[in-house]
Every structure is written in structure tokens, then in C-alpha cells.
Amino acid sequence: MNVAERFPRPDSINQDPSRPHAVVIGAGVGGLSSGALLAARGYRVTIIDPLDAPGGRAYAHRQDGFVFDAGPTIITAPWLFEELWRDCGGRMQDDVELRACDPFYRIRFDDGTWFDYSGDKAAMEAEVARFEPRDVAGYRGFMDESRRIYEVAFEQLAGQPFHSLAFTARTLAGLVRLGGYRSVYSVVARHFRNEKLRTIFSFHPLLIGGNPFSATSFYCLIAHLESRYGVHYAMGGTNALVDGIANLVRRNGGTIRLGESVETILTEGRRATAVRLASGETVAADIVVSNADPATLYAKMLKEHPRRRWTDAKIGRGDYSMGLFVWYFGTDRRYDDVYHHTMLFGPRYRPLLNDIFHRQHLAEDFSLYLHRPSAVDPTVAPDGCDAFYVLSPVPNLGGSTNWDEMAEVYRRRIEKRLEDTVLPNLSKHIVTSRIATPVDFRDRLQSWQGAAFALEPKLLQSAWFRPHNRSEELDNLYLCGAGTHPGAGLPGVVSSARIVSALVPDPSAYVGRAPSRIS
């Protein structure tokens, strides 16, 4: 099915020119969610994206009968999506089937030991006891601390914009009392003696671009979030969820323009007036919502606009998340003893993360996340076959790795590692393959330095210190997605869209103004 069939253009009634016009830059999950919510509120919405289908990092590669989610594969906080559908006049279960994963992950260490990570308290305590019986009490203490952090950092603050220094100061005072100045690893280490258990309960920040040894301990909340609400998979892949949100945009009268790039945001004073596309076309706007990487937004799309806060110098001083090397491959046989989500830790933990985040050196060893959706979803691979992707955190493009030279070398290293551990004779059974490196993130997704998750989620790059959901530079420019508050991950980007929807003026505020027109 081609793009036009999957995403038909709305009729002219739904694009009533008297409605205020919201232009959304980027059709990632954050941009689509913002567009759907704004369209449901009464805005005339146009979403513009350079790719040939919606999704951004949640795009799907389709080749040789296989479907590969390009990025996110793990869905937590499903109620956020249920609320999104409800607020846009639909029911998620009518469009998307979420299936719970149990266990959440299987974790393999370099010495061949395994840990099944789930939401079952008794099962988790039994797993912990296999590694260190004395750490069962530590597990209980850690989960209690995770719950306390969640109740403040997520339930109270993830949906609140951090634009006021006074609000930020009051909030941070409470978060400091919760230990927000500490790293995730330091909190975990206070509860567990066993080094493997410290790894198991501290790795989660890597799923959103953070180094467990420097990411603020606020991200310890993920353990409670997963335990309480589970880990889910969207049948058909995460991109099926994307298609569902794109259809919410359409049903509410919005337009998604694919294969078109925004080059510049045009301004008058402190207002955005239009976006200019790479083709030269100008699209007028009453408000602009950016789902782009904030560094790219400010340094490139607003490079001609005088900026007070997000100057080129400030952007250059930022610490950015790691890059990702992702290998997508299909096999002509099934590996039914391989679980849906598998973490394969290498021989080093902290030294490897130092190589990635600080030395920006591509190490010989690695830790991997292996995704096998065909374990539960027959639609992503031909009969008798398996679809996989394997992801390795690597330095972003601030390092010196030449990916033109190293991509295939690195892929072969990963292939051998998988053959030696969980996928015997893999090289003999590969029938389709593709890779993505930080260069692809930079060139295809316009990610600054090829960083997979924008700014690294450290304390002084979170909340008020992150690019604001209402731009500091323009009064009618709003930001959603991984690079703004509350941060990366599907719950974060959907929460950012809800913040934007609450911040923008009611469409009635534009009554009597001359309507913007798409030129």
C-alpha cells in the first residue's frame, strides 16, 4: 500500500481557512500527537516531514517481506496513548492492539548467566536471590524509592512545563530532597551489593540516551513505571501505533505532508510567521510546533533569528546523548528459544560507558539489545522466518569514528557475537539486512551530532535547563519530542505533546485576525 493510500488527504471542508493554522515540523510521535491534539481543539493542522512515511525515529523499514521498527520497540505507560485517543475522539483499542510482555526482558551476562526481568514481585525477588540472597531486602528498598520518585517526578511534574525559574526552584528543592542530584547508578548501588544486580537495575537510562553514571536519579522512576503498568508491544510494530496516531490527525482534519523539509522558520519580531521549505515554498502559520531536534531547530531553522538563550555557543557547549548502531536483519529460519526482548551485556559496564560518553571512542566490545518481534507477531516476517534488530550504544559524531570505514566491520563483530551466544550459525541464515549509524541519524533524522536522543538527560540538562516547550526565542513557537521537557522515550514525547496542547492559545483567540494562508 503506498503512502497516498495509507494517509489520504482530507477534503477542503476540514481545511477551513478561517481556522488558525498550526504548522508542525516533524511527523515523529511527538509531532503527530501534538498535531492530533491541536486538530481536535480546532486548529487547522499541517505536519511536514522529510521522510516518505510518518514516524521519525519510530519509522518502519519494509523490505523483502520483513517489517523492522526503526527505533522504539518498548511501550510503557499505555494509558497515555489511551488518553490521546480519547481526547481526539477515538478509542485506541479500535486501532491498535497492545500486547503485554512477560517477562519484560531476558538479560544475559558475558559469563552466560541470565536474569528474567518482570513485573512479578515474587518472581523478581527469586531472581535477585539467585544472584545475592542478601540483596532481596535491597530490591524492596529500591522499588520503594523508585515509587517515591515516580510519584513526584512523573505523576506531578512530567506534564508540567518548566518555564518559570520560581516554579523550577520550588520544584527542584523537593526533588533534591528525593536525591535528584545523585546518579541512577549511585542510588542503585546503595541498595544492591552484587555488581550484576547493580547493572540490571541501573541500565534503564540507556533506553532514553542517558549514562547511568551521570543521568539524574529521577530516572530510577522507570523501574516503578514498568512494574506498575508493564511493558507492551504494539502488534504490527511500534509503527502501527504511529499509523494510528497519524489517522487521528487525519480524522480531525489535519494534513500530513511527506517528503518535504522545513529549511527556515520566517519571523517578524518575536513571532514566527511561516516556514520555508527546501523547495522554496512558504507555508504561513499562526503557530509553529517543532518536533525537530532543538539544536537543529535553533542552529539551522532559526540561524538568521537573533537568539537570546539558545545561541550557537550554548548549543555547542551541550552534552549530547550517545549515538546508536542498529542492524536490522531477517533470517530464513526461526530462533524460537530467543525471547522477544533480550539484553546482552558485554564484559565491561562502566569502562564501556566511559568510552562511549566521555572518551567518544568506539570500543572493541559492546553491550547489545536484541529485538525479535516475530516471537509474538507473525505479520513482521514471512512464514518460517524471523525479524530482528540489534542495537549497540556507540559514541555520537562528536567522536572521530569514520562510519564509512567501520560500519561493516562493526556489523560483523556484532554478527559473530550473536553467533557465539544466542543465534548459532546466524551468518548462514541472513536473507535481508540493513544498518543505521549515527551518520544516518544526523542526515536522515536531522539529529545534532548524530545523537539518538538529543541532549543527554543529566540534572542540569533537564526540566528548566532543557529547551522549553514554549520557546524562549519566539512567542508562538512550541517544542515537543525527545529534546524538550520531559525528555526522550514514548511516555516523554507524548507528555510533551500534551504540554504543548495546553500551552497554545485557544483557537478562538484568533477570531477577527486575518487568517494565515498556505502559499
Side-chain angles (χ1 to χ4, degrees):
M1 186 179 293
N2 63 35
V3 169
E5 291 170 325
R6 290 170 64 207
F7 304 103
R9 296 184 68 86
D11 59 44
S12 59
I13 295 175
N14 289 332
Q15 285 289 293
D16 178 359
S18 67
R19 296 163 64 189
H21 189 212
V23 172
V24 181
I25 303 170
V29 172
L32 291 171
S33 300
S34 296
L37 289 166
L38 293 179
R41 286 191 58 190
Y43 276 88
R44 179 165 46 100
V45 171
T46 302
I47 301 176
I48 302 170
D49 192 275
L51 301 184
D52 63 355
R57 287 168 175 77
Y59 182 89
H61 299 293
R62 294 173 168 85
Q63 64 182 49
D64 301 327
F66 294 83
V67 179
F68 303 103
D69 275 325
T73 60
I74 293 168
I75 297 171
T76 55
W79 83 91
L80 290 174
F81 294 99
E82 292 167 356
E83 290 177 350
L84 174 65
W85 255 261
R86 180 200 66 204
D87 291 347
C88 295
R91 297 193 317 156
M92 184 180 73
Q93 59 265 42
D94 292 338
D95 297 324
V96 180
E97 178 189 352
L98 295 187
R99 184 167 295 183
C101 302
D102 185 24
F104 302 158
Y105 329 101
R106 295 203 74 207
I107 298 171
R108 184 189 188 278
F109 286 92
D110 194 54
D111 63 3
T113 55
W114 288 87
F115 186 103
D116 282 357
Y117 192 111
S118 73
D120 184 306
K121 181 181 178 183
M124 285 292 282
E125 290 184 1
E127 287 289 273
V128 168
R130 287 197 304 111
F131 284 75
E132 173 53 75
R134 295 176 299 171
D135 278 346
V136 172
Y139 166 72
R140 294 169 182 161
F142 171 70
M143 292 304 294
D144 187 59
E145 183 162 1
S146 174
R147 175 190 55 78
R148 294 196 305 272
I149 294 172
Y150 170 89
E151 288 172 351
V152 176
F154 194 92
E155 287 187 340
Q156 297 180 26
L157 300 177
Q160 298 294 322
F162 277 77
H163 297 162
S164 160
L165 267 176
F167 172 76
T168 300
R170 291 194 305 272
T171 300
L172 286 181
L175 290 173
V176 166
R177 287 193 293 273
L178 281 173
Y181 55 89
R182 295 175 300 182
S183 71
V184 167
Y185 183 86
S186 69
V187 170
V188 170
R190 289 193 306 112
H191 292 283
F192 296 93
R193 298 173 175 85
N194 183 276
E195 199 58 47
K196 288 180 180 176
L197 294 175
R198 289 176 173 181
T199 299
I200 289 167
F201 290 97
S202 69
F203 81 86
H204 284 92
L206 289 165
L207 301 178
I208 53 171
N211 180 348
F213 293 91
S214 57
T216 168
S217 64
F218 304 158
Y219 291 101
C220 287
L221 68 83
I222 296 173
H224 177 75
L225 173 67
E226 290 184 338
S227 176
R228 182 173 177 181
Y229 296 105
V231 167
H232 300 79
Y233 169 76
M235 296 300 288
T238 303
N239 195 251
L241 184 70
V242 167
D243 283 359
I245 303 172
N247 285 330
L248 290 180
V249 175
R250 296 286 182 172
R251 290 174 202 164
N252 284 281
T255 299
I256 302 171
R257 296 178 56 170
L258 300 169
E260 302 183 75
S261 298
V262 172
E263 202 167 66
T264 305
I265 297 175
L266 303 179
T267 64
E268 290 181 7
R270 284 189 53 85
R271 296 193 64 81
T273 59
V275 300
R276 185 167 60 230
L277 308 186
S279 65
E281 179 186 355
T282 298
V283 181
D286 294 295
I287 65 170
V288 174
V289 178
S290 174
N291 188 204
D293 186 311
T296 300
L297 166 71
Y298 287 121
K300 294 187 175 181
M301 298 179 192
L302 283 170
K303 64 182 178 181
E304 303 300 331
H305 182 80
R307 287 165 277 140
R308 299 179 302 172
R309 185 179 185 196
W310 294 102
T311 63
D312 289 352
K314 182 173 178 61
I315 291 167
R317 290 193 301 269
D319 291 326
Y320 293 87
S321 72
M322 78 282 194
L324 295 176
F325 180 94
V326 192
W327 176 30
Y328 313 89
F329 60 95
T331 60
D332 61 6
R333 59 156 286 189
R334 290 182 62 82
Y335 288 87
D336 286 321
D337 55 344
V338 176
Y339 187 59
H340 186 174
H341 301 290
T342 303
M343 309 294 177
L344 298 131
F345 289 119
R348 302 184 303 150
Y349 188 46
R350 186 169 195 159
L352 175 61
L353 295 175
N354 283 337
D355 282 343
I356 293 170
F357 284 91
H358 302 304
R359 297 181 62 209
Q360 295 192 307
H361 163 70
L362 186 66
E364 292 288 327
D365 60 317
F366 34 68
S367 288
L368 305 172
Y369 161 55
L370 180 66
H371 182 226
R372 179 179 171 249
S374 44
V376 298
D377 189 346
T379 70
V380 299
D383 289 346
C385 299
D386 260 338
F388 292 92
Y389 95 19
V390 61
L391 175 155
S392 176
V394 296
N396 63 39
L397 297 178
S400 60
T401 303
N402 184 331
W403 283 107
D404 288 338
E405 296 177 357
M406 287 303 301
E408 179 58 17
V409 173
Y410 200 69
R411 187 204 65 79
R412 287 177 182 170
R413 287 184 200 163
I414 292 174
E415 178 183 82
K416 184 177 187 308
R417 180 64 175 166
L418 293 175
E419 279 193 322
D420 291 344
T421 53
V422 294
L423 299 177
N425 301 312
L426 172 61
S427 60
K428 298 177 182 178
H429 294 284
I430 296 169
V431 292
T432 191
S433 175
R434 68 183 302 143
I435 60 173
T437 74
V439 174
D440 296 287
F441 279 79
R442 180 194 66 192
D443 296 346
R444 191 167 179 274
L445 298 174
Q446 301 179 27
S447 298
W448 195 257
Q449 294 187 357
F453 304 92
L455 285 169
E456 186 183 343
K458 303 193 296 187
L459 180 61
L460 296 183
Q461 293 190 155
S462 299
W464 184 86
F465 302 99
R466 216 163 176 79
H468 291 180
N469 302 101
R470 180 191 289 128
S471 172
E472 302 96 317
E473 310 296 347
L474 294 171
D475 294 336
N476 63 335
L477 172 63
Y478 302 86
L479 279 66
C480 63
T484 185
H485 175 70
L490 291 176
V493 300
V494 174
S495 295
S496 74
R498 189 164 293 282
I499 292 172
V500 166
S501 178
L503 286 173
V504 301
D506 188 88
S508 63
Y510 293 90
V511 172
R513 294 191 188 183
S516 62
R517 297 190 180 279
I518 301 178
S519 60

